[in-house]
Amino acid sequence: MFKKWWVILIQGILLFILGIYIFNNPVEVLAGISLWFGILTVLTGITGVFGWLFGGKDKRESVSLLWSIFSVLFGIFVLGNLLVTMKAVTIIFGIWVLLAGFGLISTGWSIKKETFIGWILFFIGLFSVVAGFSMIFNLFSGADGVATILGIQVILSGLALIMFSFVKKAVAGKVEDKLKDLKSKLQ
């Protein structure tokens, strides 16, 4: 296990590269997220229908079947209307950023007299409110926002894996040294 530190290093490098790709292709990333959402919704619905069909007659619930059929139909709608789905994702994300911004403004305003961090929170909140409105009303701003958050997360995960791989390599070296010492003492 400890000898495979380089696998983690490669994973970290690939995640870092993926993060850069995400930053450079926000619309494609948003389209991909929307596509996967549609595929997963269809597959979830199909699984529910099969679960209903193969379940015992006493276990079948009409609501479960209706929900599964609705999921399949909704997933097909999503797949057939990716632009609408992309806009819906950006609106939901924009509302989330907007609400977070209002929360930061409120918190920052309430503590501004006690600490300068209140002003920082207040201005970050203002920026978030502007960004949220921009994401809600502009698909490309929304795609940029989604890609930025996702890209940052992927890059940070990649960097963490890279650092972990070096820690794992160092630990592996120490464990090997201890095992060699132990073997030489036992012989």
Side-chain angles (χ1 to χ4, degrees), residues 50-174:
F50 278 118
W52 187 87
L53 288 172
F54 294 115
K57 290 188 188 252
D58 58 327
K59 306 251 188 219
R60 293 182 180 171
E61 297 176 2
S62 300
V63 174
S64 174
L65 177 63
L66 289 173
W67 180 256
S68 297
I69 291 170
F70 172 76
S71 295
V72 171
L73 295 174
F74 182 69
I76 290 169
F77 173 79
V78 165
L79 291 173
N81 299 288
L82 282 182
L83 191 60
V84 171
T85 305
M86 289 169 62
K87 185 60 185 167
V89 168
T90 61
I91 289 172
I92 291 167
F93 191 79
I95 290 170
W96 175 67
V97 170
L98 187 68
L99 293 175
F102 285 133
L104 288 170
I105 287 171
S106 174
T107 302
W109 190 257
S110 67
I111 65 170
K112 71 181 182 333
K113 291 181 181 177
E114 299 163 19
T115 177
F116 75 95
I117 293 174
W119 285 109
I120 293 171
L121 292 175
F122 179 79
F123 286 112
I124 291 172
L126 281 178
F127 174 76
S128 295
V129 166
V130 170
F133 276 119
S134 179
M135 285 183 224
I136 291 169
F137 295 110
N138 183 334
L139 177 64
F140 294 106
S141 292
D144 285 340
V146 171
T148 298
I149 297 296
L150 185 60
I152 288 170
Q153 178 58 42
V154 170
I155 285 175
L156 290 176
S157 296
L159 290 173
L161 284 177
I162 290 168
M163 289 186 284
F164 178 62
S165 72
F166 289 117
V167 169
K168 190 172 183 178
K169 181 181 179 189
V171 168
K174 289 180 183 180

Side-chain angles (χ1 to χ4, degrees), residues 171-186:
V171 168
K174 289 180 183 180
V175 169
E176 285 178 0
D177 291 344
K178 294 288 182 184
L179 287 174
K180 286 179 186 177
D181 275 352
L182 187 60
K183 282 182 183 179
S184 67
K185 289 179 182 178
L186 292 174

Side-chain angles (χ1 to χ4, degrees), residues 8-31:
I8 296 172
L9 176 65
I10 291 171
Q11 290 172 333
I13 292 169
L14 290 174
L15 277 176
F16 188 83
I17 292 168
L18 177 63
I20 292 170
Y21 175 82
I22 290 170
F23 278 124
N24 291 326
N25 300 289
V27 174
E28 291 83 359
V29 169
L30 184 59

